[in-house]
Amino acid sequence: MNALPQKVTLVEVGPRDGLQNEKTPVSTEHKAALVAMLQAAGLTEIEVTSFVSPKWVPQMADNLAVMAAIERRADVRYSVLTPNLKGLEAALLALPHEVVVFAAASEAFSQKNINCSITESIERFAPVVQAAHAAGIKVRGALSCALGCPYQGEVSLDEVERVARLMRAIGVDHLGVADTIGVGTPRRVQQALERALRYFPLAEVSGHFHDTYGQALANIYASLEVGVHTFDASVAGLGGCPYAKGATGNVATEDVVFMLNGLGIDTGVDIDRLVDAGAFISGVLGRAPVSRVARALLAKRVA
Ligand SMILES: CC(C)(COP(=O)([O-])OP(=O)([O-])OC[C@H]1O[C@@H](n2cnc3c(N)ncnc32)[C@H](O)[C@@H]1OP(=O)([O-])[O-])[C@@H](O)C(=O)NCCC(=O)NCCSC(=O)C[C@@](C)(O)CC(=O)[O-]
């Protein structure tokens, strides 16, 4: 068996992926406070918001205000989602370190999520990548539905590979292989990652696993086995995609950190402060954290 990576980078997507689906508006101040707590916990990559149409995703309408309200730290990189040039132009005013374009390995999902075909989305992203690079900004690509689609069901590995290749061809720097609806299982995840690795180097491939079917930690372990060492995670297990009905949140950051701590893999994250951040935002939303690790650690505090 290959040795597992000794260090993992976690991209905290709670403020964006975690909150985008919340029906009750979360205030700009609460969003900025969440970012402050996440960076205090040691997270060094934070996806803060998205510059998408406010008609499509009203919760992210305060994108510029959130980016202005966060207290930036020199050791933290802040990223934002941009679906098109209009989004990129607005995002550039907010000075992110990285922008994220998002395509799908499923035609049906592409239409529902960004209202265009896969081919059209790639054509739309090409000038976004060019303009971001011209501004000195790295571009991450998210490849949704790489393990299954809420509309069409199965997604072939060949389609995952094709869209990965197209993303690379337009200059995307990093590819996040996303299990939007959490149906992936470990071997299949390894196969999807291997397709992405044909076009992107190991350091530029990450996993984004929703935990709908309880497979996310197993899928992260399987990814570590093939050397992948960057993962998206969402504090308190918040989230879901507004265009993937029934999909629950991204894997909880607390759960990932607990597992990696047990494996002796360094994340730089202080789990107690992370649990505080999860408890804070869950309190704002009026519910308990979904993370089982957070629930267990919070229960121990009151015991
Ligand atoms: C892509 C569009 C805009 C196409 O939407 P459209 O309606 O086809 O676009 P349009 O170009 O015809 O524009 C329609 C209106 O939106 C405006 N508009 C156009 N673009 C922007 C923009 N960037 N920012 C602000 N406003 C914008 C535009 O100005 C116009 O305004 P109007 O004239 O009607 O007043 C729309 O479909 C959209 O915003 N989709 C985003 C959906 C979304 O955010 N989904 C969730 C994020 S992806 C995700 O969560 C998955 C991921 C990444 O986590 C990985 C995984 O798990 O799979």
Side-chain angles (χ1 to χ4, degrees):
M1 196 178 87
N2 289 339
L4 300 181
Q6 294 184 341
K7 195 176 177 338
V8 154
T9 302
L10 293 177
V11 181
E12 172 57 51
V13 297
R16 195 282 302 171
D17 202 6
L19 295 182
Q20 69 182 8
N21 211 22
E22 291 296 332
K23 296 286 168 282
T24 314
V26 177
S27 73
T28 303
E29 291 70 28
H30 282 143
K31 290 173 183 168
L34 173 62
V35 170
M37 293 181 85
L38 292 167
Q39 58 197 19
L43 286 148
T44 55
E45 298 267 350
I46 302 179
E47 200 170 279
V48 180
T49 184
S50 58
F51 287 79
V52 299
S53 163
K55 287 184 193 146
W56 284 63
V57 186
Q59 186 66 259
M60 298 286 110
D62 62 348
N63 42 33
L64 265 180
V66 173
M67 288 297 281
I70 58 174
E71 277 182 34
R72 295 184 191 227
R73 284 173 45 153
D75 57 345
V76 178
R77 298 177 72 257
Y78 304 95
S79 55
V80 300
L81 253 69
T82 52
N84 52 20
L85 266 182
K86 185 179 170 88
L88 180 80
E89 279 158 17
L92 288 181
L93 302 175
L95 303 175
H97 292 92
E98 191 165 285
V99 296
V100 185
V101 294
F102 43 108
S106 145
E107 277 300 343
F109 188 79
S110 184
Q111 289 290 352
K112 296 273 187 198
N113 196 35
I114 48 177
N115 207 22
C116 63
S117 68
I118 296 171
T119 304
E120 285 163 341
S121 74
I122 299 292
E123 284 164 6
R124 203 179 272 179
F125 297 147
V128 174
V129 176
Q130 260 184 8
H133 284 167
I137 293 177
K138 186 173 174 181
V139 182
R140 190 149 40 94
L143 180 45
S144 291
C145 297
L147 281 304
C149 168
Y151 306 104
Q152 76 176 44
E154 292 233 341
V155 170
S156 76
L157 291 169
D158 288 344
E159 194 59 357
V160 171
E161 178 172 347
R162 184 179 80 88
V163 184
R165 178 171 49 76
L166 292 174
M167 297 278 254
R168 188 69 202 120
I170 59 168
V172 165
D173 301 295
H174 176 107
L175 193 70
V177 173
D179 186 4
T180 311
I181 52 169
V183 291
T185 47
R187 289 287 171 256
R188 183 69 172 190
V189 164
Q190 290 179 336
Q191 289 166 345
L193 290 170
E194 276 157 10
R195 297 302 183 106
L197 287 164
R198 293 181 185 177
Y199 301 94
F200 291 83
L202 195 52
E204 298 298 352
V205 171
S206 57
H208 174 109
F209 303 121
H210 285 257
D211 204 22
T212 319
Y213 289 80
Q215 302 299 299
L217 284 181
N219 290 338
I220 288 178
Y221 192 89
S223 308
L224 293 169
E225 284 187 330
V226 296
V228 168
H229 50 82
T230 308
F231 301 98
D232 293 356
S234 178
V235 71
L238 297 173
C241 175
Y243 299 98
K245 213 162 182 260
T248 57
N250 213 263
V251 63
T253 317
E254 298 93 316
D255 296 2
V256 181
V257 171
F258 186 85
M259 180 181 81
L260 296 175
N261 282 349
L263 290 166
I265 296 174
D266 177 28
T267 60
V269 177
D270 175 331
I271 197 154
D272 290 315
R273 297 187 87 167
L274 180 62
V275 167
D276 290 341
F280 162 73
I281 191 63
S282 299
V284 168
L285 296 169
R287 55 174 186 255
V290 171
S291 159
R292 288 162 76 169
V293 166
R295 285 176 182 233
L297 293 178
L298 286 167
K300 252 172 99 173
R301 284 184 192 177
V302 290

